[in-house]
Structure formats: C-alpha cells, structure tokens
Amino acid sequence: MAEKDENVVFIGGKPFMNYVTGVVMQFTTKGAKEVVIKARGKFISRAVDVAEVATKRFLKEFGVTVKDIKINSEEFENKEGKKVNVSTIDIVLAKK
Amino acid sequence: MAEKDENVVFIGGKPFMNYVTGVVMQFTTKGAKEVVIKARGKFISRAVDVAEVATKRFLKEFGVTVKDIKINSEEFENKEGKKVNVSTIDIVLAKK
C-alpha cells in the first residue's frame, strides 16, 4: 500500500461527523478514488465507526467499499520517557 | 470466512492479558490453526491491541500472523427501545 498522494483522514477527538463528512467529501467533491482512515490507540474504534457510517450511510451509491484494513503497532516515548506501544489501524476505502 | 469450528475469542471488559493468554493458548496448547478475535463498539480498539500483542510478543516463533480483518455494523435495540448501530470487527489470526 504505497502512501503516495492518497487522501488520509486521521481520526482524533473532534466531533464524529467531522470525520465522516471529511471522508465523504473526498469522494464526492474532490473526486478521490481512495481514502485512508488512520487512527491510533483508543481512536481505533472510532475509525471503524467512521468507515462504517461513511460507506453504508453516505457512499453506497458511489460504489465505495472497504478495500483493505491493516493493523500495526508503533513504539513511542510517553511523558515519563518510558517506551510504550500503541496499536494503529489503516482502513482503505476505495471506489470500485 | 466460514464460521464453522474456528476458535473465537470475544473481547470485553475483563483484564487485558486474559484475552491475550486465551488467544495464545489456542495456538500453543490447543493446536488451533486459526483464531478469530471479535469485538463490538468501544472494545474494537482493545481487540486490535490483543491481536498485536499476541502475534508480535508471543506468537512470532509460531508463525502466527493476521490473515484477515473484517469490519461490519450490527443493529440492536438499546434499553430505551431505540435502534442503534454498533460497529464490529473480526480479526483472523492464522498459523502459516
């Protein structure tokens, strides 16, 4: 999965619909063929919600489906300087 | 993905390592070829953590990797009788 110019939506703590709208608009108004929804840690559940709502409620007639899902781990140093692992997810949505 | 006799670990609110141990033991002592980690809603992040820790920390030498990930939505009625959608994840781990 080359991470070239693909459109990425990174999920955080903003209102849920911001992310859904962001994903939907990439396909509907910006003509994207592929959008990657990325999240880490506790936001992973949210990333799945965004993908589900975007594809099933808004993008069905556009032929957008989940093309690929990858999980991974990243190591980072927390505030105390301790190395911590955090899980990540990449959900690739694509127009058929 | 036929859901025949495959071994399923459903992620909930028990201590994290219970789930990791459950998954690891399916492969190491019960001889499973495939284990499915399932979760709904907020437990999805946890399911990804369990999959990552099990495969990367404990099952690397057993050749167990993430074979497939599926996301979906389920509709159910909450306590107030209102229909609510919840996202689900199935993470399939398999021995190569």
Side-chain angles (χ1 to χ4, degrees):
Chain A
M1 199 161 49
E3 229 146 304
K4 33 177 178 41
D5 300 304
E6 56 192 1
N7 309 291
V8 174
V9 175
F10 203 91
I11 308 299
K14 287 186 211 160
F16 181 72
M17 285 308 291
N18 286 25
Y19 299 110
V20 175
T21 311
V23 171
V24 170
M25 281 184 55
Q26 294 276 357
F27 285 107
T28 56
T29 71
K30 294 190 183 168
K33 293 252 159 56
E34 205 167 293
V35 173
V36 184
I37 300 170
K38 284 175 179 270
R40 307 201 310 170
K42 65 174 179 174
F43 293 116
I44 289 175
S45 305
R46 213 154 194 236
V48 173
D49 289 340
V50 169
E52 282 294 304
V53 171
T55 54
K56 298 202 171 145
R57 206 179 305 164
F58 295 100
L59 293 167
K60 221 166 191 171
E61 58 264 50
F62 290 88
V64 175
T65 54
V66 175
K67 185 184 162 194
D68 194 23
I69 305 173
K70 291 263 182 297
I71 60 174
N72 212 335
S73 306
E74 278 175 19
E75 201 181 60
F76 73 101
E77 277 194 12
N78 66 8
K79 287 167 253 167
E80 291 82 38
K82 204 178 147 198
K83 279 185 184 170
V84 184
N85 275 298
V86 65
S87 301
T88 64
I89 197 166
D90 283 15
I91 304 172
V92 184
L93 305 186
K95 204 172 237 175
K96 271 179 191 164
Chain B
M1 199 162 47
E3 229 147 305
K4 32 177 178 45
D5 299 305
E6 57 193 1
N7 309 291
V8 175
V9 174
F10 204 91
I11 308 299
K14 287 185 211 160
F16 181 72
M17 285 308 291
N18 286 24
Y19 299 110
V20 175
T21 311
V23 171
V24 171
M25 281 185 55
Q26 294 277 356
F27 285 107
T28 54
T29 71
K30 295 190 181 165
K33 293 251 161 55
E34 206 166 292
V35 172
V36 185
I37 301 169
K38 284 175 179 271
R40 308 201 309 171
K42 65 174 178 172
F43 293 116
I44 288 175
S45 305
R46 214 156 193 236
V48 173
D49 289 339
V50 169
E52 282 294 304
V53 171
T55 53
K56 297 201 172 144
R57 207 178 306 164
F58 295 101
L59 293 167
K60 221 165 191 173
E61 59 264 49
F62 290 89
V64 175
T65 54
V66 175
K67 185 185 162 192
D68 195 23
I69 305 173
K70 292 263 183 296
I71 61 173
N72 211 336
S73 306
E74 278 174 18
E75 201 180 59
F76 73 102
E77 277 195 12
N78 66 9
K79 287 166 254 168
E80 291 81 39
K82 205 179 147 199
K83 279 184 184 170
V84 184
N85 276 298
V86 66
S87 300
T88 64
I89 197 165
D90 284 14
I91 305 172
V92 184
L93 305 186
K95 205 172 236 176
K96 271 181 190 162

